[in-house]
Amino acid sequence: LEEANQLTSSSDDLKSKQLEVIVEQALERLKHSAVQIELGGRKAADAAFWFALAGVKEQALFERLVELSTLELERFGERASCRTKDIYQILERFAAAGVICDAGLERAAVLSLKSKGDAVGSNSIFLDLHSERPLLLIWKFSTKQKKQRAFLQSAIRHWERQRGIQTIPEGKTAEYSSSSECWCDAFDDATRPLVVDIGCGMGVSI
């Protein structure tokens, strides 16, 4: 988990070779049986999320982390110490990491949720990047990133310079008229709906 955090916080500065070395070290560590104790609870799911955000695409790494979470749910999923929200948090983190429809993990999650009286179907599919919980998780994470906010502000300034738009200073809105941008010049048909591509979800390996 520490390695995954390190990758996310330093991913811009790390070279691809360094990234490969850290992933190899993580894979080697995951081979040991003791790692199941170290990655108890939702820690394996957290690690998958952080590795995905760092841009890691090593399938074997994510498969092993899913396997560990499945074993963990089978071990304590029906105990009182395992809350319903803990199960959903494990699922949403793997979904946000790009893991799709792992039958073993979903089966263990369904059994655990049913034991707590949660009304879920036996064929429920939780691991979907487009469902509400993982999308909310990614959004919450992205809003906390100072670098992300700085990048967006820089992109806005660059776009305005390219278009010759005057930025309205904070608190001075009343002194300025509406934007000088003529959308009819920017688009062939300004009356059509606007579709915005917001990218790949904070680097998640889809």
Side-chain angles (χ1 to χ4, degrees):
L1 185 56
E2 291 177 0
E3 290 172 338
N5 280 312
Q6 178 186 353
L7 286 173
T8 304
S9 61
S10 308
S11 57
D12 290 340
D13 300 323
L14 285 172
K15 297 179 181 179
S16 59
K17 201 66 179 178
Q18 292 174 299
L19 183 63
E20 291 175 7
V21 170
I22 293 176
V23 172
E24 288 175 3
Q25 291 174 343
L27 281 169
E28 187 62 31
R29 182 62 184 163
L30 289 172
K31 292 179 182 178
H32 299 286
S33 58
V35 78
Q36 186 174 346
I37 299 174
E38 297 173 1
L39 295 180
R42 73 171 208 207
K43 289 181 182 177
D46 287 334
F49 181 61
W50 287 107
F51 273 120
L53 288 174
V56 175
K57 298 181 180 180
E58 180 59 54
Q59 192 65 26
L61 176 68
F62 292 103
E63 289 176 354
R64 178 58 176 153
L65 291 170
V66 167
E67 180 185 358
L68 289 171
S69 280
T70 302
L71 293 171
E72 185 66 3
L73 281 177
E74 290 173 348
R75 182 187 69 82
F76 92 122
E78 298 184 20
R79 298 181 184 178
S81 58
C82 179
R83 302 164 296 179
T84 298
K85 74 172 187 177
D86 297 327
I87 301 169
Y88 280 113
Q89 286 174 350
I90 289 173
L91 294 170
E92 72 186 22
R93 277 156 176 73
F94 278 117
V99 175
I100 302 174
C101 300
D102 183 87
L105 178 60
E106 291 183 352
R107 190 185 310 110
V110 167
L111 291 175
S112 298
L113 289 169
K114 283 186 173 180
S115 72
K116 301 176 188 308
D118 196 290
V120 294
S122 58
N123 295 321
S124 297
I125 297 177
F126 299 100
L127 302 182
D128 184 354
L129 182 59
H130 298 289
S131 59
E132 183 176 316
R133 291 185 67 99
L135 288 176
L136 182 60
L137 172 65
I138 294 173
W139 179 79
K140 285 180 177 179
F141 177 88
S142 65
T143 58
K144 296 178 182 178
Q145 306 309 301
K146 293 181 180 179
K147 196 169 190 177
Q148 182 76 357
R149 290 198 297 270
F151 167 77
L152 291 174
Q153 291 168 357
S154 175
I156 290 171
R157 288 194 296 269
H158 174 75
W159 187 84
E160 289 176 340
R161 285 196 300 269
Q162 292 290 101
R163 296 283 181 175
I165 298 174
Q166 184 178 21
T167 302
I168 300 177
E170 186 176 352
K172 301 289 184 179
T173 306
E175 299 176 15
Y176 288 79
S177 60
S178 60
S179 172
S180 60
E181 175 70 18
C182 178
W183 296 113
C184 294
D185 295 335
F187 300 99
D188 293 335
D189 184 355
T191 63
R192 298 184 64 184
L194 179 64
V195 177
V196 180
D197 182 356
I198 60 173
C200 63
M202 292 295 294
V204 173
S205 306
I206 303 175

